[in-house]
Amino acid sequence: MGIKASTASVMHRIRGCTCATLATLAATGVILCHLTLQPPPAAAHDADLPIAAGKLSLRTNHGLDKQRFKFTTGRQLAIGLAHDPSQTSTWLLVRGYGDDGGTSGRIELDAARWEPLGRPTAPRGYRYMDPAGSRGGVRKIMLRPGRLIIDARGSGWPWQPGGPQSSVWVHFGVADESYCASLGGTIQRNEAGAFQAKGALPPAQCPQAVCGNAEQELGEECDDGNLVEDDGCTSLCAPGECVGQSYDSTFAAIEDLVFDRHGCTAPLCHGSSPGAGGLDLSPGVAYDNLLDVASTGSAYDLVEPGAPNSSSLYLKLLLAADPAATDIPGAGMPSGLPPIDDDLLETVRRWILSAAPQTGTVSGTETLLDGCFPDPQPISIAPLEPPDPADGFQLEMPVTDLPAQTEIEVCFATYYDMSDSVPPQYKDPTGQYFYSRSDITRQDPHSHHLVAMHSAVPETEVDHPSFGDWTCIGGDQNGALCNPIDTGSCGEEGSCRSRVGRNIACIGYGPPGGPVAGNPTNGLGGAGNGQSMTDLPPGFYRKVPLKGFTYWNAHAFNLTDEDHGLKAYLNLLYTDELENEVTPFTDSHAIFIAYGQPPYTIDSYCSTRTFEPGTRLLELSSHTHERGEVFWVTDPQGNEIYRSFVYNDPVVKLYDPPLEFDSPIEAERRITYCAIYNNGVAPDGTPDPSTVRKRSVTPSNAGLCNPVACTDGRVGEPCGGIDSHADCDSVPGAGDGVCDACAITRGVSTQDEMFVLTGRTYQNGLP
């Protein structure tokens, strides 16, 4: 089964991401008409539940904008409230049978659009609202005990019957339950573009195989859940041809499109052993010759998983395409030939950023390459090698469950004690700290950020109720209760972990006095991508507690269809070169500076930071969200000292020598940092609904979004709010308008915006 580039957006949900990176960058269907129904007990898992259909109406023969699908059930016991749809997956599939049969394909619904009816602790049902119909045109669903109503309309509805149907089946899934209804008895209308039926009894059983539900079942040769015929699996769940080049993995595509087609595997370059610079990129050996292998021409490894800006392969390709974008020594690659195009360069960057896997598809690369790839699966990064015990130690984060198609932000605690392990020369005189110069954090590429923080909470609070039960994760004691202070209580292969809380930035987690991810002074390490490293110059150091609780804050996502266990590693390295103690800073006093910027506009904003006399600036980095287009910093004289273009992989700029701020005049110690925010303007200056802030994609953790402009119909024109779609109709009464575009909001998801400067400084001893 393959997935073509053009169907990637159908198969994968794009979600907002919270931000706490301030520390490191920082349901027997029976018709019952006269009974009062009570919510039934939870149905069995993996249940296929036949239900009665009250009415189905499908009209698609009056133009795309006037398409309408509506389904209602008769009242019956089969429909219950065993699951909260806002906390699990829900989907709809409609399939017609006969000579002109067809299907809607599997329509994945947005969990953030479900809300309880009545009290959240004792709901009377659930309602799904999506005025824009962003998922298959589905606008509204009512799910109550004994009742299901589904309403879809507009151009987003995916199936137009090409002729009469022998029957139409409706399948609706909630978590591991799937309801099915069949309408083929009392048919009131049945022709091309229209089907209407009512009063159908429950089918004897649901089909063993439902083609189009994205699950390969009995009798199916494939099932990719979409309607595309040329992606390797047809809508009849039979193998089909994939139009475009097919590859077994993203790396296989890189081998072909980058290495082979751009001369890298020529005998005089890297096509034989040992190859130029000792590098052989021949098929079959290229991967092992790249991953974690030191470059002979720079201080970087050839490929550092998770870190494209520390990978010589990417930087050499970038150097040829944009010489001003990197200072890696030597010549760009490919040597003597035109640089690779932007899509190939971005493919290499995303591949490395996503842990540089040898097999599997890195999400998004199929779109860049317009090829046929296997469905993306969870990616595990290569474990970070622990340092020699004489040089440092490793903290390994307990594996965190990450179910398929989920996004979570969690906080939990572990405990470490290195009091007897750190060599004496690296300890401070009080015996409470050790000196560190470097830290490396590596994590699976399923997290927008990971922050590891030391907590000042004393050991005596280990039994505090807010920590919950401490439990062994992994090893032969997995699941057993444990005592984190006894660092061997879970054996050599296990870790003792507190309860896992859903706490943004760890705010409110644990006993009073614990850290939050916005305080850089608590930071042990962290990464906003696959890998991040702090390597201070010789003579620079920071003090790290020898023991204590570690809080792990991860904003994790798994947009694949397989469960995953998120893993992360943190190495802390010692130093005894103690000339200057480094202090990190996070300047977030203007964090929401772009709040209120109207839709379909571009604007820039600036703020300043004034350093104390004697400050030396070692490092700068930045943080915005999805609409942050460029971030730059200028020194007191107006010279640019920092620029970054990629919001989720910002530049970390190191200064050697450090920048000095000694003047007694404040203005001469003041830097200015600025950013441009693009809220929905295309390169040609026209309104771009695909990039504007929209209410229809607002995740549950995002800021308030009140639509004030049109995204369909009269695109870019003003409108009067969420219930004013008619304001956007191309002509009065057309029904094609959507009022969905919002101003930039403030909050913690990537749909909101932030404006943050981060860095590291030290004092040179001036008063």
Side-chain angles (χ1 to χ4, degrees):
M1 177 173 62
I3 175 171
K4 193 175 185 295
S6 60
T7 68
S9 61
V10 178
M11 299 294 289
H12 298 97
R13 180 179 306 171
I14 300 175
R15 299 184 176 137
C17 70
T18 61
C19 173
T21 53
L22 306 186
T24 59
L25 191 166
T28 62
V30 180
I31 299 177
L32 298 175
C33 299
H34 305 290
L35 294 180
T36 301
L37 299 179
Q38 300 296 328
H45 289 292
D46 300 317
D48 294 323
L49 305 173
I51 58 175
K55 183 177 181 180
L56 184 149
S57 177
L58 176 60
R59 184 188 68 205
T60 64
N61 53 2
H62 295 291
L64 292 176
D65 294 332
K66 294 184 178 181
Q67 293 186 129
R68 181 75 184 267
F69 169 83
K70 189 166 184 179
F71 171 78
T72 64
T73 66
R75 295 177 63 81
Q76 61 237 260
L77 283 171
I79 300 175
L81 300 180
H83 302 280
D84 178 352
S86 70
Q87 301 299 316
T88 188
S89 64
T90 54
W91 54 272
L92 169 68
L93 186 148
V94 181
R95 188 166 191 92
Y97 293 86
D99 292 340
D100 294 294
T103 177
S104 67
R106 178 179 172 122
I107 300 172
E108 295 281 356
L109 302 170
D110 185 351
R113 302 224 163 252
W114 286 99
E115 61 183 15
L117 299 172
R119 292 184 292 121
T121 55
R124 294 180 284 103
Y126 296 92
R127 175 171 56 202
Y128 180 91
M129 294 293 294
D130 183 0
S134 61
R135 306 293 175 90
V138 178
R139 305 289 183 97
K140 183 178 180 180
I141 300 175
M142 299 293 290
L143 177 61
R144 293 176 173 173
R147 197 74 186 269
L148 175 64
I149 301 173
I150 303 172
D151 187 3
R153 64 184 74 184
S155 59
W157 175 256
W159 175 43
Q160 299 80 37
Q165 307 293 306
S166 60
S167 65
V168 173
W169 285 70
V170 177
H171 302 269
F172 178 72
V174 182
D176 46 20
E177 297 176 357
S178 176
Y179 301 109
C180 72
S182 175
L183 296 99
T186 305
I187 299 178
Q188 299 165 304
R189 190 174 182 183
N190 193 6
E191 60 193 52
F195 182 90
Q196 189 171 332
K198 66 177 182 178
L201 293 171
Q205 63 181 22
C206 293
Q208 286 185 301
V210 181
C211 180
N213 67 349
E215 298 178 12
Q216 188 171 349
E217 298 160 313
L218 182 65
E220 295 180 342
E221 296 181 80
C222 62
D223 193 336
D224 60 4
N226 65 55
L227 304 179
V228 179
E229 300 295 337
D230 59 1
D231 65 350
C233 184
T234 72
S235 61
L236 296 177
C237 293
E241 292 187 5
C242 179
V243 176
Q245 181 68 47
S246 295
Y247 294 102
D248 292 335
S249 66
T250 295
F251 182 68
I254 291 172
E255 285 190 295
D256 177 29
L257 299 173
V258 178
F259 301 162
D260 192 41
R261 300 196 190 187
H262 286 82
C264 301
T265 55
L268 294 179
C269 191
H270 303 293
S272 61
S273 183
L279 175 60
D280 183 355
L281 292 179
S282 302
V285 301
Y287 186 81
D288 289 338
N289 290 340
L290 286 169
L291 198 74
D292 287 325
V293 174
S295 168
T296 60
S298 75
Y300 303 109
D301 283 352
L302 293 171
V303 170
E304 187 78 30
N309 290 318
S310 297
S311 298
S312 181
L313 172 67
Y314 171 71
L315 294 175
K316 284 287 190 177
L317 295 170
L318 177 62
L319 180 63
D322 185 0
T326 175
D327 57 2
I328 190 170
M333 300 297 289
S335 179
L337 295 172
I340 65 174
D341 64 36
D342 290 346
D343 286 346
L344 286 177
L345 184 62
E346 177 64 8
T347 295
V348 173
R349 190 191 74 84
R350 291 193 188 188
W351 171 70
I352 298 174
L353 190 67
S354 297
Q358 184 173 15
T359 60
T361 304
V362 172
S363 183
T365 59
E366 70 276 27
T367 304
L368 289 164
L369 302 179
D370 195 23
C372 301
F373 291 79
D375 294 338
Q377 297 176 318
I379 297 173
S380 295
I381 203 165
L384 183 63
E385 188 72 21
D388 186 296
D391 299 326
F393 66 93
Q394 182 177 92
L395 296 177
E396 183 174 348
M397 185 183 80
V399 176
T400 302
D401 292 337
L402 193 54
Q405 297 294 341
T406 59
E407 180 174 358
I408 57 176
E409 181 161 357
V410 298
C411 182
F412 54 86
T414 58
Y415 182 83
Y416 73 93
D417 187 349
M418 301 303 297
S419 301
D420 298 328
S421 302
V422 176
Q425 66 268 32
Y426 303 122
K427 294 180 180 179
D428 85 318
T430 70
Q432 300 181 56
Y433 300 89
F434 68 90
Y435 302 115
S436 176
R437 170 184 161 189
S438 303
D439 60 79
I440 309 171
T441 304
R442 180 180 287 190
Q443 63 168 337
D444 289 346
H446 291 275
S447 175
H448 295 292
H449 75 254
L450 173 71
V451 183
M453 302 165 285
H454 178 269
S455 173
V457 171
E459 296 175 12
T460 54
E461 295 286 348
V462 64
D463 294 322
H464 195 283
S466 60
F467 274 140
D469 289 335
W470 292 86
T471 310
C472 290
I473 306 299
D476 55 9
Q477 301 295 316
N478 186 54
L481 297 179
C482 54
N483 178 5
I485 308 303
D486 178 1
T487 54
S489 61
C490 292
E492 292 185 1
E493 302 298 325
S495 301
C496 189
R497 183 184 70 187
S498 68
R499 70 172 180 88
V500 177
R502 299 289 184 93
N503 295 73
I504 294 172
C506 286
I507 296 171
Y509 185 87
V516 296
N519 186 348
T521 61
N522 296 317
L524 295 174
N529 45 36
Q531 178 167 303
S532 182
M533 178 178 184
T534 298
D535 189 17
L536 300 174
F540 294 86
Y541 70 96
R542 62 191 183 106
K543 292 200 301 186
V544 181
L546 282 162
K547 62 179 180 177
F549 294 107
T550 300
Y551 281 25
W552 302 86
N553 172 231
H555 174 210
F557 59 92
N558 179 6
L559 304 185
T560 77
D561 294 325
E562 297 183 16
D563 295 342
H564 182 59
L566 183 72
K567 296 175 286 296
Y569 314 85
L570 168 61
N571 286 356
L572 291 159
L573 305 179
Y574 311 135
T575 186
D576 56 4
E577 299 180 23
L578 310 177
E579 296 176 18
N580 297 290
E581 183 174 0
V582 172
T583 302
F585 71 84
T586 295
D587 198 322
S588 57
H589 75 273
I591 186 170
F592 298 129
I593 197 169
Y595 171 63
Q597 180 180 318
Y600 306 119
T601 63
I602 297 178
D603 210 342
S604 60
Y605 306 85
C606 293
S607 188
T608 63
R609 177 178 181 84
T610 302
F611 295 112
E612 293 297 320
T615 298
R616 297 293 182 266
L617 180 62
L618 282 176
E619 175 190 293
L620 282 180
S621 191
S622 60
H623 186 67
T624 67
H625 280 176
E626 192 169 294
R627 288 163 189 87
E629 202 164 69
V630 188
F631 195 111
W632 71 96
V633 183
T634 57
D635 66 14
Q637 290 74 44
N639 303 308
E640 184 175 298
I641 58 174
Y642 177 89
R643 182 169 288 261
S644 182
F645 294 94
V646 183
Y647 83 93
N648 58 358
D649 188 20
V651 169
V652 179
K653 176 71 172 178
L654 302 176
Y655 300 99
D656 185 15
L659 304 186
E660 301 180 355
F661 297 88
D662 289 335
S663 173
I665 302 171
E666 282 194 5
E668 295 179 359
R669 303 193 311 273
R670 184 177 300 136
I671 62 173
T672 301
Y673 59 101
C674 306
I676 294 176
Y677 294 88
N678 184 339
N679 190 15
V681 178
D684 63 1
T686 59
D688 183 2
S690 68
T691 60
V692 76
R693 175 74 170 93
K694 293 192 290 286
R695 184 181 178 92
S696 61
V697 297
T698 297
S700 58
N701 61 326
L704 178 65
C705 176
N706 180 42
V708 295
C710 304
T711 55
D712 284 286
R714 297 167 59 236
V715 173
E717 295 296 315
C719 53
I722 188 172
D723 296 320
S724 63
H725 300 303
D727 291 353
C728 299
D729 287 350
S730 56
V731 296
D736 60 353
V738 176
C739 180
D740 197 29
C742 305
I744 287 177
T745 48
R746 57 188 174 197
V748 295
S749 97
T750 49
Q751 291 300 310
D752 306 301
E753 265 311 332
M754 292 190 173
F755 179 59
V756 178
L757 178 73
T758 67
R760 296 176 189 272
T761 63
Y762 70 97
Q763 294 299 117
N764 74 342
L766 290 177

